PDB file of all heavy atoms in Angstrom:
ATOM      1  N   VAL A 992     -58.934 -74.508 -79.448  1.00  0.00           N
ATOM      2  CA  VAL A 992     -59.696 -75.562 -78.810  1.00  0.00           C
ATOM      3  C   VAL A 992     -60.348 -75.014 -77.541  1.00  0.00           C
ATOM      4  O   VAL A 992     -59.780 -74.163 -76.847  1.00  0.00           O
ATOM      5  CB  VAL A 992     -58.792 -76.777 -78.484  1.00  0.00           C
ATOM      6  CG1 VAL A 992     -57.720 -76.414 -77.471  1.00  0.00           C
ATOM      7  CG2 VAL A 992     -59.616 -77.953 -78.005  1.00  0.00           C
ATOM      8  N   GLN A 993     -61.546 -75.482 -77.278  1.00  0.00           N
ATOM      9  CA  GLN A 993     -62.252 -75.106 -76.069  1.00  0.00           C
ATOM     10  C   GLN A 993     -62.306 -76.306 -75.138  1.00  0.00           C
ATOM     11  O   GLN A 993     -62.559 -77.427 -75.584  1.00  0.00           O
ATOM     12  CB  GLN A 993     -63.667 -74.623 -76.377  1.00  0.00           C
ATOM     13  CG  GLN A 993     -63.727 -73.327 -77.178  1.00  0.00           C
ATOM     14  CD  GLN A 993     -63.433 -73.543 -78.643  1.00  0.00           C
ATOM     15  OE1 GLN A 993     -63.968 -74.443 -79.284  1.00  0.00           O
ATOM     16  NE2 GLN A 993     -62.557 -72.704 -79.198  1.00  0.00           N
ATOM     17  N   LEU A 994     -62.075 -76.070 -73.865  1.00  0.00           N
ATOM     18  CA  LEU A 994     -62.009 -77.142 -72.886  1.00  0.00           C
ATOM     19  C   LEU A 994     -63.013 -76.889 -71.769  1.00  0.00           C
ATOM     20  O   LEU A 994     -63.097 -75.776 -71.248  1.00  0.00           O
ATOM     21  CB  LEU A 994     -60.606 -77.232 -72.284  1.00  0.00           C
ATOM     22  CG  LEU A 994     -59.448 -77.375 -73.278  1.00  0.00           C
ATOM     23  CD1 LEU A 994     -58.120 -77.266 -72.542  1.00  0.00           C
ATOM     24  CD2 LEU A 994     -59.547 -78.702 -74.018  1.00  0.00           C
ATOM     25  N   VAL A 995     -63.742 -77.923 -71.403  1.00  0.00           N
ATOM     26  CA  VAL A 995     -64.727 -77.816 -70.337  1.00  0.00           C
ATOM     27  C   VAL A 995     -64.556 -78.981 -69.379  1.00  0.00           C
ATOM     28  O   VAL A 995     -64.751 -80.138 -69.760  1.00  0.00           O
ATOM     29  CB  VAL A 995     -66.162 -77.805 -70.881  1.00  0.00           C
ATOM     30  CG1 VAL A 995     -67.157 -77.702 -69.731  1.00  0.00           C
ATOM     31  CG2 VAL A 995     -66.357 -76.644 -71.839  1.00  0.00           C
ATOM     32  N   GLU A 996     -64.203 -78.678 -68.133  1.00  0.00           N
ATOM     33  CA  GLU A 996     -64.044 -79.701 -67.111  1.00  0.00           C
ATOM     34  C   GLU A 996     -65.377 -80.002 -66.437  1.00  0.00           C
ATOM     35  O   GLU A 996     -66.251 -79.139 -66.345  1.00  0.00           O
ATOM     36  CB  GLU A 996     -63.039 -79.259 -66.042  1.00  0.00           C
ATOM     37  CG  GLU A 996     -61.658 -78.901 -66.566  1.00  0.00           C
ATOM     38  CD  GLU A 996     -61.491 -77.417 -66.809  1.00  0.00           C
ATOM     39  OE1 GLU A 996     -62.511 -76.721 -67.062  1.00  0.00           O
ATOM     40  OE2 GLU A 996     -60.342 -76.936 -66.739  1.00  0.00           O
ATOM     41  N   SER A 997     -65.484 -81.211 -65.931  1.00  0.00           N
ATOM     42  CA  SER A 997     -66.652 -81.598 -65.158  1.00  0.00           C
ATOM     43  C   SER A 997     -66.269 -82.738 -64.224  1.00  0.00           C
ATOM     44  O   SER A 997     -65.206 -83.335 -64.363  1.00  0.00           O
ATOM     45  CB  SER A 997     -67.805 -82.022 -66.066  1.00  0.00           C
ATOM     46  OG  SER A 997     -67.459 -83.160 -66.834  1.00  0.00           O
ATOM     47  N   GLY A 998     -67.133 -83.030 -63.284  1.00  0.00           N
ATOM     48  CA  GLY A 998     -66.923 -84.159 -62.400  1.00  0.00           C
ATOM     49  C   GLY A 998     -66.462 -83.807 -61.003  1.00  0.00           C
ATOM     50  O   GLY A 998     -66.359 -84.690 -60.146  1.00  0.00           O
ATOM     51  N   GLY A 999     -66.180 -82.546 -60.756  1.00  0.00           N
ATOM     52  CA  GLY A 999     -65.761 -82.145 -59.431  1.00  0.00           C
ATOM     53  C   GLY A 999     -66.917 -82.190 -58.451  1.00  0.00           C
ATOM     54  O   GLY A 999     -68.079 -82.319 -58.828  1.00  0.00           O
ATOM     55  N   GLY A1000     -66.580 -82.086 -57.179  1.00  0.00           N
ATOM     56  CA  GLY A1000     -67.598 -82.108 -56.158  1.00  0.00           C
ATOM     57  C   GLY A1000     -67.006 -82.274 -54.780  1.00  0.00           C
ATOM     58  O   GLY A1000     -65.792 -82.178 -54.594  1.00  0.00           O
ATOM     59  N   LEU A1001     -67.877 -82.529 -53.824  1.00  0.00           N
ATOM     60  CA  LEU A1001     -67.481 -82.727 -52.440  1.00  0.00           C
ATOM     61  C   LEU A1001     -67.455 -84.210 -52.129  1.00  0.00           C
ATOM     62  O   LEU A1001     -68.463 -84.903 -52.301  1.00  0.00           O
ATOM     63  CB  LEU A1001     -68.457 -82.005 -51.510  1.00  0.00           C
ATOM     64  CG  LEU A1001     -68.266 -82.211 -50.014  1.00  0.00           C
ATOM     65  CD1 LEU A1001     -66.916 -81.657 -49.567  1.00  0.00           C
ATOM     66  CD2 LEU A1001     -69.399 -81.551 -49.254  1.00  0.00           C
ATOM     67  N   VAL A1002     -66.305 -84.695 -51.673  1.00  0.00           N
ATOM     68  CA  VAL A1002     -66.153 -86.099 -51.322  1.00  0.00           C
ATOM     69  C   VAL A1002     -65.436 -86.214 -49.991  1.00  0.00           C
ATOM     70  O   VAL A1002     -64.854 -85.255 -49.492  1.00  0.00           O
ATOM     71  CB  VAL A1002     -65.378 -86.882 -52.400  1.00  0.00           C
ATOM     72  CG1 VAL A1002     -66.128 -86.873 -53.720  1.00  0.00           C
ATOM     73  CG2 VAL A1002     -63.983 -86.298 -52.576  1.00  0.00           C
ATOM     74  N   GLN A1003     -65.470 -87.407 -49.430  1.00  0.00           N
ATOM     75  CA  GLN A1003     -64.773 -87.669 -48.187  1.00  0.00           C
ATOM     76  C   GLN A1003     -63.383 -88.222 -48.457  1.00  0.00           C
ATOM     77  O   GLN A1003     -63.127 -88.821 -49.495  1.00  0.00           O
ATOM     78  CB  GLN A1003     -65.551 -88.670 -47.343  1.00  0.00           C
ATOM     79  CG  GLN A1003     -66.891 -88.179 -46.859  1.00  0.00           C
ATOM     80  CD  GLN A1003     -67.607 -89.206 -46.025  1.00  0.00           C
ATOM     81  OE1 GLN A1003     -68.577 -89.818 -46.459  1.00  0.00           O
ATOM     82  NE2 GLN A1003     -67.116 -89.412 -44.802  1.00  0.00           N
ATOM     83  N   ALA A1004     -62.493 -88.013 -47.514  1.00  0.00           N
ATOM     84  CA  ALA A1004     -61.147 -88.571 -47.621  1.00  0.00           C
ATOM     85  C   ALA A1004     -61.236 -90.080 -47.846  1.00  0.00           C
ATOM     86  O   ALA A1004     -62.027 -90.765 -47.197  1.00  0.00           O
ATOM     87  CB  ALA A1004     -60.345 -88.260 -46.374  1.00  0.00           C
ATOM     88  N   GLY A1005     -60.433 -90.561 -48.776  1.00  0.00           N
ATOM     89  CA  GLY A1005     -60.438 -91.968 -49.110  1.00  0.00           C
ATOM     90  C   GLY A1005     -61.324 -92.318 -50.288  1.00  0.00           C
ATOM     91  O   GLY A1005     -61.205 -93.413 -50.846  1.00  0.00           O
ATOM     92  N   ASP A1006     -62.190 -91.409 -50.664  1.00  0.00           N
ATOM     93  CA  ASP A1006     -63.091 -91.644 -51.790  1.00  0.00           C
ATOM     94  C   ASP A1006     -62.373 -91.479 -53.119  1.00  0.00           C
ATOM     95  O   ASP A1006     -61.220 -91.051 -53.188  1.00  0.00           O
ATOM     96  CB  ASP A1006     -64.270 -90.677 -51.727  1.00  0.00           C
ATOM     97  CG  ASP A1006     -65.286 -91.055 -50.681  1.00  0.00           C
ATOM     98  OD1 ASP A1006     -65.149 -92.120 -50.065  1.00  0.00           O
ATOM     99  OD2 ASP A1006     -66.229 -90.264 -50.477  1.00  0.00           O
ATOM    100  N   SER A1007     -63.083 -91.810 -54.181  1.00  0.00           N
ATOM    101  CA  SER A1007     -62.577 -91.673 -55.534  1.00  0.00           C
ATOM    102  C   SER A1007     -63.439 -90.711 -56.327  1.00  0.00           C
ATOM    103  O   SER A1007     -64.622 -90.521 -56.031  1.00  0.00           O
ATOM    104  CB  SER A1007     -62.544 -93.031 -56.241  1.00  0.00           C
ATOM    105  OG  SER A1007     -61.667 -93.931 -55.603  1.00  0.00           O
ATOM    106  N   LEU A1008     -62.846 -90.140 -57.337  1.00  0.00           N
ATOM    107  CA  LEU A1008     -63.543 -89.191 -58.185  1.00  0.00           C
ATOM    108  C   LEU A1008     -62.907 -89.218 -59.561  1.00  0.00           C
ATOM    109  O   LEU A1008     -61.689 -89.372 -59.682  1.00  0.00           O
ATOM    110  CB  LEU A1008     -63.437 -87.790 -57.584  1.00  0.00           C
ATOM    111  CG  LEU A1008     -64.450 -86.721 -57.998  1.00  0.00           C
ATOM    112  CD1 LEU A1008     -65.856 -87.133 -57.594  1.00  0.00           C
ATOM    113  CD2 LEU A1008     -64.079 -85.397 -57.341  1.00  0.00           C
ATOM    114  N   ARG A1009     -63.726 -89.093 -60.583  1.00  0.00           N
ATOM    115  CA  ARG A1009     -63.196 -89.003 -61.933  1.00  0.00           C
ATOM    116  C   ARG A1009     -63.599 -87.686 -62.566  1.00  0.00           C
ATOM    117  O   ARG A1009     -64.788 -87.390 -62.712  1.00  0.00           O
ATOM    118  CB  ARG A1009     -63.678 -90.156 -62.822  1.00  0.00           C
ATOM    119  CG  ARG A1009     -62.949 -90.179 -64.170  1.00  0.00           C
ATOM    120  CD  ARG A1009     -63.348 -91.346 -65.051  1.00  0.00           C
ATOM    121  NE  ARG A1009     -64.643 -91.143 -65.694  1.00  0.00           N
ATOM    122  CZ  ARG A1009     -65.055 -91.803 -66.770  1.00  0.00           C
ATOM    123  NH1 ARG A1009     -64.278 -92.725 -67.322  1.00  0.00           N
ATOM    124  NH2 ARG A1009     -66.250 -91.564 -67.273  1.00  0.00           N
ATOM    125  N   LEU A1010     -62.603 -86.919 -62.939  1.00  0.00           N
ATOM    126  CA  LEU A1010     -62.831 -85.669 -63.636  1.00  0.00           C
ATOM    127  C   LEU A1010     -62.761 -85.906 -65.132  1.00  0.00           C
ATOM    128  O   LEU A1010     -62.007 -86.750 -65.609  1.00  0.00           O
ATOM    129  CB  LEU A1010     -61.786 -84.630 -63.241  1.00  0.00           C
ATOM    130  CG  LEU A1010     -61.604 -84.353 -61.747  1.00  0.00           C
ATOM    131  CD1 LEU A1010     -60.569 -83.242 -61.562  1.00  0.00           C
ATOM    132  CD2 LEU A1010     -62.924 -83.986 -61.102  1.00  0.00           C
ATOM    133  N   SER A1011     -63.546 -85.144 -65.870  1.00  0.00           N
ATOM    134  CA  SER A1011     -63.535 -85.223 -67.320  1.00  0.00           C
ATOM    135  C   SER A1011     -63.264 -83.850 -67.897  1.00  0.00           C
ATOM    136  O   SER A1011     -63.624 -82.831 -67.307  1.00  0.00           O
ATOM    137  CB  SER A1011     -64.873 -85.742 -67.853  1.00  0.00           C
ATOM    138  OG  SER A1011     -65.133 -87.050 -67.409  1.00  0.00           O
ATOM    139  N   CYS A1012     -62.640 -83.834 -69.043  1.00  0.00           N
ATOM    140  CA  CYS A1012     -62.399 -82.598 -69.776  1.00  0.00           C
ATOM    141  C   CYS A1012     -62.783 -82.841 -71.219  1.00  0.00           C
ATOM    142  O   CYS A1012     -62.136 -83.627 -71.917  1.00  0.00           O
ATOM    143  CB  CYS A1012     -60.930 -82.190 -69.660  1.00  0.00           C
ATOM    144  SG  CYS A1012     -60.469 -80.769 -70.672  1.00  0.00           S
ATOM    145  N   ALA A1013     -63.835 -82.188 -71.647  1.00  0.00           N
ATOM    146  CA  ALA A1013     -64.319 -82.326 -73.013  1.00  0.00           C
ATOM    147  C   ALA A1013     -63.743 -81.217 -73.878  1.00  0.00           C
ATOM    148  O   ALA A1013     -63.812 -80.044 -73.517  1.00  0.00           O
ATOM    149  CB  ALA A1013     -65.840 -82.277 -73.037  1.00  0.00           C
ATOM    150  N   ALA A1014     -63.186 -81.598 -75.009  1.00  0.00           N
ATOM    151  CA  ALA A1014     -62.569 -80.647 -75.921  1.00  0.00           C
ATOM    152  C   ALA A1014     -63.391 -80.512 -77.186  1.00  0.00           C
ATOM    153  O   ALA A1014     -63.950 -81.488 -77.694  1.00  0.00           O
ATOM    154  CB  ALA A1014     -61.153 -81.089 -76.281  1.00  0.00           C
ATOM    155  N   SER A1015     -63.448 -79.307 -77.698  1.00  0.00           N
ATOM    156  CA  SER A1015     -64.109 -79.063 -78.968  1.00  0.00           C
ATOM    157  C   SER A1015     -63.269 -78.088 -79.781  1.00  0.00           C
ATOM    158  O   SER A1015     -62.629 -77.191 -79.229  1.00  0.00           O
ATOM    159  CB  SER A1015     -65.520 -78.514 -78.765  1.00  0.00           C
ATOM    160  OG  SER A1015     -65.491 -77.298 -78.035  1.00  0.00           O
ATOM    161  N   GLY A1016     -63.268 -78.277 -81.084  1.00  0.00           N
ATOM    162  CA  GLY A1016     -62.424 -77.465 -81.932  1.00  0.00           C
ATOM    163  C   GLY A1016     -61.025 -78.044 -82.007  1.00  0.00           C
ATOM    164  O   GLY A1016     -60.614 -78.832 -81.149  1.00  0.00           O
ATOM    165  N   GLY A1017     -60.296 -77.665 -83.031  1.00  0.00           N
ATOM    166  CA  GLY A1017     -58.951 -78.182 -83.193  1.00  0.00           C
ATOM    167  C   GLY A1017     -58.953 -79.668 -83.489  1.00  0.00           C
ATOM    168  O   GLY A1017     -59.986 -80.272 -83.761  1.00  0.00           O
ATOM    169  N   THR A1018     -57.778 -80.245 -83.430  1.00  0.00           N
ATOM    170  CA  THR A1018     -57.627 -81.684 -83.601  1.00  0.00           C
ATOM    171  C   THR A1018     -57.142 -82.239 -82.278  1.00  0.00           C
ATOM    172  O   THR A1018     -55.958 -82.155 -81.949  1.00  0.00           O
ATOM    173  CB  THR A1018     -56.637 -82.004 -84.726  1.00  0.00           C
ATOM    174  OG1 THR A1018     -57.069 -81.396 -85.945  1.00  0.00           O
ATOM    175  CG2 THR A1018     -56.535 -83.512 -84.934  1.00  0.00           C
ATOM    176  N   PHE A1019     -58.054 -82.809 -81.527  1.00  0.00           N
ATOM    177  CA  PHE A1019     -57.773 -83.214 -80.160  1.00  0.00           C
ATOM    178  C   PHE A1019     -56.570 -84.147 -80.054  1.00  0.00           C
ATOM    179  O   PHE A1019     -55.751 -84.019 -79.133  1.00  0.00           O
ATOM    180  CB  PHE A1019     -59.012 -83.879 -79.563  1.00  0.00           C
ATOM    181  CG  PHE A1019     -58.833 -84.314 -78.143  1.00  0.00           C
ATOM    182  CD1 PHE A1019     -58.712 -83.378 -77.126  1.00  0.00           C
ATOM    183  CD2 PHE A1019     -58.788 -85.659 -77.819  1.00  0.00           C
ATOM    184  CE1 PHE A1019     -58.546 -83.777 -75.810  1.00  0.00           C
ATOM    185  CE2 PHE A1019     -58.631 -86.070 -76.503  1.00  0.00           C
ATOM    186  CZ  PHE A1019     -58.507 -85.124 -75.494  1.00  0.00           C
ATOM    187  N   SER A1020     -56.452 -85.071 -80.996  1.00  0.00           N
ATOM    188  CA  SER A1020     -55.380 -86.056 -80.930  1.00  0.00           C
ATOM    189  C   SER A1020     -53.998 -85.456 -81.154  1.00  0.00           C
ATOM    190  O   SER A1020     -52.993 -86.143 -80.959  1.00  0.00           O
ATOM    191  CB  SER A1020     -55.623 -87.176 -81.943  1.00  0.00           C
ATOM    192  OG  SER A1020     -55.625 -86.673 -83.270  1.00  0.00           O
ATOM    193  N   ARG A1021     -53.941 -84.206 -81.552  1.00  0.00           N
ATOM    194  CA  ARG A1021     -52.656 -83.541 -81.746  1.00  0.00           C
ATOM    195  C   ARG A1021     -52.384 -82.484 -80.673  1.00  0.00           C
ATOM    196  O   ARG A1021     -51.571 -81.582 -80.861  1.00  0.00           O
ATOM    197  CB  ARG A1021     -52.585 -82.926 -83.149  1.00  0.00           C
ATOM    198  CG  ARG A1021     -52.454 -83.982 -84.241  1.00  0.00           C
ATOM    199  CD  ARG A1021     -51.158 -84.777 -84.065  1.00  0.00           C
ATOM    200  NE  ARG A1021     -51.033 -85.849 -85.040  1.00  0.00           N
ATOM    201  CZ  ARG A1021     -51.406 -87.112 -84.837  1.00  0.00           C
ATOM    202  NH1 ARG A1021     -51.941 -87.465 -83.675  1.00  0.00           N
ATOM    203  NH2 ARG A1021     -51.243 -88.018 -85.785  1.00  0.00           N
ATOM    204  N   TYR A1022     -53.060 -82.612 -79.562  1.00  0.00           N
ATOM    205  CA  TYR A1022     -52.779 -81.810 -78.382  1.00  0.00           C
ATOM    206  C   TYR A1022     -52.316 -82.726 -77.267  1.00  0.00           C
ATOM    207  O   TYR A1022     -53.015 -83.677 -76.917  1.00  0.00           O
ATOM    208  CB  TYR A1022     -54.027 -81.066 -77.897  1.00  0.00           C
ATOM    209  CG  TYR A1022     -54.528 -79.972 -78.801  1.00  0.00           C
ATOM    210  CD1 TYR A1022     -55.593 -80.187 -79.663  1.00  0.00           C
ATOM    211  CD2 TYR A1022     -53.956 -78.705 -78.763  1.00  0.00           C
ATOM    212  CE1 TYR A1022     -56.066 -79.179 -80.485  1.00  0.00           C
ATOM    213  CE2 TYR A1022     -54.423 -77.690 -79.580  1.00  0.00           C
ATOM    214  CZ  TYR A1022     -55.477 -77.936 -80.431  1.00  0.00           C
ATOM    215  OH  TYR A1022     -55.952 -76.922 -81.237  1.00  0.00           O
ATOM    216  N   ALA A1023     -51.150 -82.440 -76.722  1.00  0.00           N
ATOM    217  CA  ALA A1023     -50.811 -83.049 -75.451  1.00  0.00           C
ATOM    218  C   ALA A1023     -51.712 -82.414 -74.402  1.00  0.00           C
ATOM    219  O   ALA A1023     -52.037 -81.227 -74.493  1.00  0.00           O
ATOM    220  CB  ALA A1023     -49.344 -82.805 -75.110  1.00  0.00           C
ATOM    221  N   MET A1024     -52.132 -83.190 -73.433  1.00  0.00           N
ATOM    222  CA  MET A1024     -53.079 -82.705 -72.445  1.00  0.00           C
ATOM    223  C   MET A1024     -52.510 -82.807 -71.041  1.00  0.00           C
ATOM    224  O   MET A1024     -51.748 -83.724 -70.727  1.00  0.00           O
ATOM    225  CB  MET A1024     -54.385 -83.495 -72.521  1.00  0.00           C
ATOM    226  CG  MET A1024     -55.071 -83.444 -73.877  1.00  0.00           C
ATOM    227  SD  MET A1024     -55.602 -81.763 -74.335  1.00  0.00           S
ATOM    228  CE  MET A1024     -56.813 -81.426 -73.053  1.00  0.00           C
ATOM    229  N   GLY A1025     -52.902 -81.869 -70.221  1.00  0.00           N
ATOM    230  CA  GLY A1025     -52.445 -81.878 -68.844  1.00  0.00           C
ATOM    231  C   GLY A1025     -53.543 -81.504 -67.875  1.00  0.00           C
ATOM    232  O   GLY A1025     -54.544 -80.884 -68.245  1.00  0.00           O
ATOM    233  N   TRP A1026     -53.357 -81.915 -66.644  1.00  0.00           N
ATOM    234  CA  TRP A1026     -54.220 -81.502 -65.536  1.00  0.00           C
ATOM    235  C   TRP A1026     -53.365 -80.753 -64.516  1.00  0.00           C
ATOM    236  O   TRP A1026     -52.263 -81.205 -64.166  1.00  0.00           O
ATOM    237  CB  TRP A1026     -54.872 -82.696 -64.844  1.00  0.00           C
ATOM    238  CG  TRP A1026     -56.022 -83.304 -65.587  1.00  0.00           C
ATOM    239  CD1 TRP A1026     -55.981 -84.383 -66.409  1.00  0.00           C
ATOM    240  CD2 TRP A1026     -57.381 -82.872 -65.548  1.00  0.00           C
ATOM    241  NE1 TRP A1026     -57.235 -84.660 -66.891  1.00  0.00           N
ATOM    242  CE2 TRP A1026     -58.117 -83.743 -66.373  1.00  0.00           C
ATOM    243  CE3 TRP A1026     -58.058 -81.840 -64.889  1.00  0.00           C
ATOM    244  CZ2 TRP A1026     -59.489 -83.618 -66.574  1.00  0.00           C
ATOM    245  CZ3 TRP A1026     -59.424 -81.712 -65.091  1.00  0.00           C
ATOM    246  CH2 TRP A1026     -60.117 -82.584 -65.916  1.00  0.00           C
ATOM    247  N   PHE A1027     -53.878 -79.638 -64.069  1.00  0.00           N
ATOM    248  CA  PHE A1027     -53.243 -78.836 -63.044  1.00  0.00           C
ATOM    249  C   PHE A1027     -54.272 -78.541 -61.964  1.00  0.00           C
ATOM    250  O   PHE A1027     -55.467 -78.663 -62.183  1.00  0.00           O
ATOM    251  CB  PHE A1027     -52.703 -77.531 -63.624  1.00  0.00           C
ATOM    252  CG  PHE A1027     -51.560 -77.707 -64.579  1.00  0.00           C
ATOM    253  CD1 PHE A1027     -51.781 -78.127 -65.881  1.00  0.00           C
ATOM    254  CD2 PHE A1027     -50.259 -77.456 -64.173  1.00  0.00           C
ATOM    255  CE1 PHE A1027     -50.734 -78.299 -66.769  1.00  0.00           C
ATOM    256  CE2 PHE A1027     -49.196 -77.619 -65.053  1.00  0.00           C
ATOM    257  CZ  PHE A1027     -49.442 -78.044 -66.350  1.00  0.00           C
ATOM    258  N   ARG A1028     -53.790 -78.130 -60.813  1.00  0.00           N
ATOM    259  CA  ARG A1028     -54.715 -77.759 -59.751  1.00  0.00           C
ATOM    260  C   ARG A1028     -54.188 -76.546 -59.004  1.00  0.00           C
ATOM    261  O   ARG A1028     -52.990 -76.282 -58.963  1.00  0.00           O
ATOM    262  CB  ARG A1028     -54.952 -78.923 -58.786  1.00  0.00           C
ATOM    263  CG  ARG A1028     -53.730 -79.342 -57.985  1.00  0.00           C
ATOM    264  CD  ARG A1028     -54.025 -80.608 -57.206  1.00  0.00           C
ATOM    265  NE  ARG A1028     -52.909 -81.015 -56.376  1.00  0.00           N
ATOM    266  CZ  ARG A1028     -52.877 -82.141 -55.677  1.00  0.00           C
ATOM    267  NH1 ARG A1028     -53.910 -82.978 -55.705  1.00  0.00           N
ATOM    268  NH2 ARG A1028     -51.811 -82.437 -54.941  1.00  0.00           N
ATOM    269  N   GLN A1029     -55.110 -75.825 -58.410  1.00  0.00           N
ATOM    270  CA  GLN A1029     -54.744 -74.627 -57.675  1.00  0.00           C
ATOM    271  C   GLN A1029     -55.610 -74.495 -56.435  1.00  0.00           C
ATOM    272  O   GLN A1029     -56.832 -74.423 -56.525  1.00  0.00           O
ATOM    273  CB  GLN A1029     -54.885 -73.386 -58.555  1.00  0.00           C
ATOM    274  CG  GLN A1029     -54.361 -72.119 -57.924  1.00  0.00           C
ATOM    275  CD  GLN A1029     -54.231 -70.993 -58.925  1.00  0.00           C
ATOM    276  OE1 GLN A1029     -54.939 -70.965 -59.940  1.00  0.00           O
ATOM    277  NE2 GLN A1029     -53.324 -70.063 -58.664  1.00  0.00           N
ATOM    278  N   ALA A1030     -54.960 -74.472 -55.297  1.00  0.00           N
ATOM    279  CA  ALA A1030     -55.630 -74.258 -54.032  1.00  0.00           C
ATOM    280  C   ALA A1030     -55.570 -72.773 -53.682  1.00  0.00           C
ATOM    281  O   ALA A1030     -54.683 -72.057 -54.154  1.00  0.00           O
ATOM    282  CB  ALA A1030     -54.969 -75.088 -52.932  1.00  0.00           C
ATOM    283  N   PRO A1031     -56.488 -72.286 -52.858  1.00  0.00           N
ATOM    284  CA  PRO A1031     -56.480 -70.868 -52.494  1.00  0.00           C
ATOM    285  C   PRO A1031     -55.145 -70.429 -51.914  1.00  0.00           C
ATOM    286  O   PRO A1031     -54.589 -71.095 -51.039  1.00  0.00           O
ATOM    287  CB  PRO A1031     -57.586 -70.778 -51.442  1.00  0.00           C
ATOM    288  CG  PRO A1031     -58.517 -71.884 -51.799  1.00  0.00           C
ATOM    289  CD  PRO A1031     -57.620 -72.998 -52.256  1.00  0.00           C
ATOM    290  N   GLY A1032     -54.629 -69.321 -52.428  1.00  0.00           N
ATOM    291  CA  GLY A1032     -53.374 -68.787 -51.936  1.00  0.00           C
ATOM    292  C   GLY A1032     -52.130 -69.494 -52.428  1.00  0.00           C
ATOM    293  O   GLY A1032     -51.026 -69.141 -52.017  1.00  0.00           O
ATOM    294  N   LYS A1033     -52.286 -70.472 -53.294  1.00  0.00           N
ATOM    295  CA  LYS A1033     -51.149 -71.221 -53.798  1.00  0.00           C
ATOM    296  C   LYS A1033     -51.043 -71.101 -55.311  1.00  0.00           C
ATOM    297  O   LYS A1033     -51.999 -70.747 -55.990  1.00  0.00           O
ATOM    298  CB  LYS A1033     -51.259 -72.697 -53.405  1.00  0.00           C
ATOM    299  CG  LYS A1033     -51.236 -72.939 -51.912  1.00  0.00           C
ATOM    300  CD  LYS A1033     -51.245 -74.419 -51.602  1.00  0.00           C
ATOM    301  CE  LYS A1033     -51.199 -74.657 -50.103  1.00  0.00           C
ATOM    302  NZ  LYS A1033     -49.926 -74.160 -49.512  1.00  0.00           N
TER     303      LYS A1033
END
């Protein structure tokens, strides 16, 4: 399966944002999905 994230950007504290991850290939409904994040140096 191939995954492509979108929706990121620059926002102010207190704002809202919705990220999307579009999947292609495989059977999407048979994949558990997760979101992770990584800050510099962490």
Side-chain angles (χ1 to χ4, degrees):
V992 64
Q993 294 77 47
L994 306 173
V995 180
E996 303 95 334
S997 62
L1001 175 63
V1002 298
Q1003 295 180 253
D1006 284 354
S1007 297
L1008 201 62
R1009 189 177 77 161
L1010 307 183
S1011 297
C1012 174
S1015 59
T1018 303
F1019 181 69
S1020 62
R1021 289 298 177 266
Y1022 292 100
M1024 301 297 296
W1026 283 96
F1027 293 78
R1028 66 188 183 185
Q1029 187 167 26
K1033 297 184 179 296

